[in-house]
Structures are given as structure tokens and as C-alpha cells.
């Protein structure tokens, strides 16, 4: 009898505690664009962590690399006065939404203070996450992706006696050789955000760190229209010549698959591409190569983050707090980033379980931060507001998909930026 009663009490306590944690977790409708194999695998780690905290996740995926489609859906939800609990959003767009008044009163700031996020993040990353004049946390970072990468099929390169290129001239020579041998040198998806991704890596390499800062961050008209920019467009034209007929509209992960299966040799893409290689069980240095695109120790960063909108209702606010806490969890950031291809945003996550590409990324990031080469990716929304980003992207895409001269493209780039300001 006594034993039965004891069991009953324990059962009651257990039931009560699970119910109370479930309530503590709250609910979260999360809008995101992580739908490729590697992305979905990484996202599952977040979903599981949130569920462990008792949270109920309502998935709102909007497919489309780079998030262009997701951002359109998000905008319309916000305009309709019905924002999701949280959404993927990056860089200055975080502050743009705050200015629209949909982010206050910053429910997650209390979590950030209690967990001391200021001490866990670099100030560069933490500033991106803040609203209300950069004073309150309104977003949480999951990672740091690097944009300026070459991914290459090892067998293809080895069998043609080629090494990973360390200059753009070397790349052009290797690509020409492969093309003559009937291999597609450059796997590319003809979508504006992918064109812009390639463009900024080329610009960083050909122009250098200072030029990148002048042209992309300061939007300096002379840099935008000058002779260095002409050279950048010249290299873009060469790259166009190394693509195949299937390029228009191709998704980035389809291009990555072409490199994986040896149909193509190279891809220029952020390290979410590595998430695809890993998801297919492939290993760097064994099946594929990763190497930063040629530059003077530049590093184009892209921080994925989730923004939390102003909400009413305890369950949603609890959901935001629990999700923000999950995102900044130390172990979560390790596992998630191993799958995602990126490196942790938190500074205290040990890197020993990461692969050689991620370890290289982490040490390059430190070096570039000390030497002026750590620069925000414009193609992935870290450098510019939407109007300027769009203006730049349009010219790059128009040039890439036509026979526009490099001079004309540089002139149009400056004009488009001028008109967007
Ligand atoms: C995001 C990545 C994502 C990629 C492709 C980038 O803008 O930062 O997380 O994997 O787009 O969709």
C-alpha cells in the first residue's frame, strides 16, 4: 500500500514537472529558409533543443537559398500585422525592422542579460543583434558563415594534375584546362544572390580589403565606378565563360551536388555548401577540397541569426525566451555548426571536434579581425540595407547574364547605388 502510494506521489511529481517545463518552454512559430539536406539536419538540432526545454515549435519554412523568398513572406506577414514569433534575419535588416516598431519591447533582452551574452560574443557579432540604438538584444546569433570559399572535387583536380588555386590567374588557368578536358569548371546557379556571392569573393580578391570596405561598406562612388571595379567585372565575365548551359535558375545545393559527383570541378559558395558535403558523408581533404578564394587574408562573414518580434501572450513570450536560450547554448552551437558548415558565434565553444575547413575558418577569422580583413558580406545582408543591397545585386546579375562591358557595369553600379540612397 505504502509502495503504491509512493509510486503515485512520484508519478504525480513527475507528471507535474513535465507539464510545468512544457509550459515554461512556450510556443514559437519560426520562419526560416533552411530546407536543403544539410540545413534541415542542422535545424533539427535546434528543434530538438527547444523541445527539450518544453517548447512547441511551429515550422514555417520558405524554400529559396539566400532567403530572398523568405524575406518576401516575412515582409508581408509584418505588413499584415502578424509577424511570426521568430524569424531568420540578418545584419542591418534587424535594425530596419526595429525602426518599423515591430520588435520592441525586446522580450529576449532579459535572457541575454541573465546569460551574459555580451561576454560570450565578439562585439562585432553582438552589435548586429541589438536594437533600440544598439542597447538591447532583440536577436540571437547561431553561427558565423564564411562566404569566400572555393569547394572542389578532389578526384577531378587530382586526375588533371591540378592543385587548389591560390590566385585568380591560377584559377582561370585550371578552369580553362578542365574545360578543354570536357569538365564543367565552375558549378554555378544563376540566381541573383548566387551571382552576388561570387561577385563579392572576386571583389575581395581583386580589390583587396581596403577596396572592399570602400566600395561595399562605404559605397564610395570612385571605388564603385573606378578601374579596380572594372577588373572585378572582367573576372566575373571570365567566370561566366566557365559555367554550363544549365546555370540559369539552378539552386545552390544542386550546384554543390555537381561538384560532389564530379560533373563539375569548383563552386564558389559560403560554407553552408560544406553542410551538403558532410550530409552526403564526404570528407574534406579526402573527397573534396576547401580553400578560401584568393585574397589578402580577407574574410567575408555572414552571421545567421533569429530576430524576435514584439508579442503578446505568455506562451509566445516564453517561447521566445526559451528559443533564444537554446540558440545561445554552448553544446547546441557546437553540434549545430558541425552540421551547418559554419563555426559557432559563441567564442567559448571548443573547435576540436570540427573538421579542417572549420578549424581554418576559425583561425583565419581571428587573424583577419586583427589585420583589417574581417568584412561583412553584402550578398548575405550583413553590410547594406535592403535598398542598396538590391541595387547592387541587380547590376551584378544583369552584367553576368548579358554581354555588358565591364566599364558599363561599373558605371551602372555607381549610378544604381546613387539612385538608391
Ligand atoms: C544563409 C545560410 C544558408 C544560405 C543558403 C545564407 O544567406 O546565411 O544559412 O544556408 O543562405 O540558403
Amino acid at each position: 500500500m505504502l509502495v503504491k502510494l509512493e509510486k503515485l506521489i512520484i508519478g504525480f511529481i513527475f507528471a507535474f514537472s513535465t507539464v510545468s517545463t512544457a509550459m515554461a518552454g512556450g510556443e514559437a512559430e519560426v520562419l526560416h529558409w533552411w530546407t536543403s539536406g544539410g540545413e534541415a539536419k542542422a535545424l533539427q538540432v535546434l528543434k530538438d533543443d527547444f523541445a527539450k526545454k518544453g517548447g512547441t515549435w511551429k515550422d514555417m519554412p520558405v524554400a529559396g537559398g539566400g532567403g530572398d523568398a523568405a524575406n518576401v513572406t516575412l515582409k508581408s506577414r509584418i505588413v499584415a500585422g502578424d509577424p511570426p514569433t521568430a524569424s531568420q534575419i540578418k545584419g542591418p535588416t534587424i535594425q530596419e525592422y526595429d525602426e518599423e516598431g515591430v520588435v520592441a519591447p525586446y522580450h529576449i533582452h532579459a535572457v541575454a542579460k541573465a546569460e551574459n551574452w555580451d561576454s560570450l560574443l565578439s562585439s562585432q557579432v553582438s552589435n548586429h543583434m541589438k536594437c533600440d540604438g544598439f542597447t538591447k538584444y532583440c536577436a540571437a546569433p547561431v553561427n558565423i558563415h564564411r562566404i569566400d570559399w572555393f569547394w572542389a572535387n578532389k578526384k577531378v583536380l587530382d586526375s588533371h594534375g591540378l592543385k587548389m588555386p591560390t590566385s585568380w590567374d591560377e584559377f582561370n588557368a585550371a578552369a580553362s584546362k578542365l574545360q578543354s578536358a570536357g569538365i564543367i569548371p565552375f558549378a554555378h546557379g544563376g540566381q541573383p544572390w548566387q551571382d552576388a556571392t561570387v561577385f563579392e569573393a572576386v571583389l575581395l580578391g581583386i580589390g583587396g580589403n581596403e577596396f572592399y570596405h570602400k566600395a561595399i561598406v562605404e559605397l564610395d562612388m570612385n571605388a564603385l565606378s573606378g578601374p579596380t571595379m572594372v577588373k572585378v567585372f572582367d573576372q566575373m565575365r571570365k567566370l561566366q565563360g566557365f559555367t554550363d548551359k544549365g546555370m540559369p535558375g539552378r539552386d545552390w545545393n544542386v550546384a554543390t551536388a555537381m561538384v560532389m559527383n564530379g560533373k563539375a570541378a569548383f563552386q564558389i559558395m559560403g560554407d553552408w555548401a560544406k553542410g551538403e558535403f558532410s550530409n552526403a558523408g564526404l570528407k574534406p581533404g579526402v573527397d573534396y577540397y576547401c580553400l578560401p578564394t584568393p585574397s589578402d587574408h580577407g574574410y567575408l562573414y555572414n552571421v545567421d541569426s533569429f530576430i524576435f518580434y514584439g508579442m503578446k501572450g505568455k506562451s509566445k513570450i516564453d517561447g521566445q525566451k526559451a528559443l533564444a536560450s537554446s540558440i545561445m547554448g554552448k553544446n547546441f552551437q557546437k553540434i549545430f555548426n558541425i552540421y551547418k558548415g559554419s563555426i559557432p558565434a559563441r567564442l567559448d565553444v571548443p573547435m576540436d571536434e570540427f573538421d579542417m575547413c572549420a578549424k581554418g575558418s576559425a583561425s583565419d577569422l581571428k587573424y583577419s579581425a586583427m589585420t583589417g580583413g574581417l568584412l561583412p558580406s553584402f550578398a548575405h545582408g550583413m553590410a547594406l540595407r535592403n535598398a542598396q543591397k538590391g541595387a547592387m545585386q541587380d547590376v551584378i546579375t544583369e552584367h553576368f547574364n548579358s554581354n555588358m562591358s565591364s566599364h558599363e557595369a561599373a558605371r551602372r553600379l555607381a549610378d544604381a547605388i546613387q539612385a538608391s540612397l
Side-chain angles (χ1 to χ4, degrees), residues 33-34 39 65-66 88 90 145 193 252 272 302 304 340 380:
W33 67 87
W34 285 336
E39 291 173 334
Q88 229 182 311
K90 293 185 283 194
H145 269 305
W193 74 271
W252 67 272
W272 47 91
N302 165 30
D304 279 314
K340 187 71 172 69
H380 293 275

Side-chain angles (χ1 to χ4, degrees), residues 109-337:
H109 184 63
V111 176
K113 259 177 74 181
E115 295 179 356
N116 206 3
W117 291 7
D118 274 345
S119 72
L120 301 176
L121 301 167
S122 68
S123 56
Q124 196 148 6
V125 171
S126 66
N127 268 337
H128 280 300
M129 304 302 133
K130 289 180 180 172
C131 287
D132 198 21
F134 298 101
T135 61
K136 297 204 177 72
Y137 278 93
C138 58
V142 269
N143 64 5
I144 300 175
H145 269 305
R146 182 178 196 169
I147 305 299
D148 47 316
W149 283 108
F150 275 141
W151 306 97
N153 182 298
K154 182 174 183 295
K155 235 190 227 151
V156 170
L157 258 57
D158 291 356
S159 63
H160 289 86
L162 294 167
K163 293 221 158 52
M164 282 299 267
T166 54
S167 71
W168 288 99
D169 286 344
E170 257 177 55
F171 172 82
N172 295 336
S176 297
K177 185 170 176 186
L178 290 163
Q179 203 163 35
S180 318
I183 308 257
I184 300 166
F186 178 44
H188 183 62
Q191 296 173 346
W193 74 271
Q194 294 189 61
D195 301 339
T197 300
V198 172
F199 176 85
E200 65 183 11
V202 170
L203 188 145
L204 179 74
I206 292 192
N209 303 335
E210 260 178 52
F211 179 77
Y212 186 97
H213 197 273
K214 268 216 149 1
I216 303 292
V217 181
E218 296 168 40
L219 298 175
D220 177 280
M221 289 299 145
N222 293 329
L224 287 168
S225 61
T228 307
M229 192 60 83
V230 172
K231 282 192 199 140
V232 173
F233 279 111
D234 285 347
Q235 178 61 32
M236 289 301 284
R237 181 62 71 236
K238 286 191 185 129
L239 282 166
Q240 181 210 37
F242 295 135
T243 62
D244 66 315
K245 285 206 172 63
M247 173 191 80
R250 176 187 286 141
D251 286 329
W252 67 272
N253 50 330
V254 176
T256 309
M258 288 166 68
V259 175
M260 278 188 215
N261 63 30
K263 217 176 147 194
F266 293 99
Q267 182 182 22
I268 298 174
M269 187 48 62
D271 40 23
W272 47 91
K274 201 188 69 191
E276 298 303 296
F277 285 103
S278 306
N279 195 34
L282 304 180
K283 303 258 173 303
V286 178
D287 307 298
Y288 67 96
Y289 290 122
C290 59
L291 195 75
T293 53
S295 77
D296 184 14
H297 300 286
Y299 186 114
L300 298 182
Y301 73 87
N302 165 30
V303 179
D304 279 314
S305 51
F306 286 87
I307 186 173
F308 298 86
Y309 299 93
M311 288 281 138
K312 290 208 174 74
K314 183 169 176 347
S315 179
K316 286 180 179 170
I317 295 170
D318 284 350
Q320 291 189 325
K321 290 182 174 168
L323 186 58
S325 180
S326 277
I327 287 173
M328 277 294 286
K330 190 169 174 179
N331 195 50
F332 160 74
Q333 291 225 345
K334 183 182 85 183
I335 313 283
F336 172 88
N337 285 301

Side-chain angles (χ1 to χ4, degrees), residues 74-114:
L74 177 65
K75 186 97 203 163
S76 62
R77 289 277 307 261
I78 286 177
V79 169
D82 176 33
T85 325
S87 77
Q88 229 182 311
I89 262 229
K90 293 185 283 194
T93 313
I94 294 174
Q95 287 78 34
E96 272 185 67
Y97 275 126
D98 186 34
E99 284 159 21
E100 287 182 27
V102 293
V103 191
Y106 321 115
H107 302 295
I108 66 153
H109 184 63
V111 176
K113 259 177 74 181

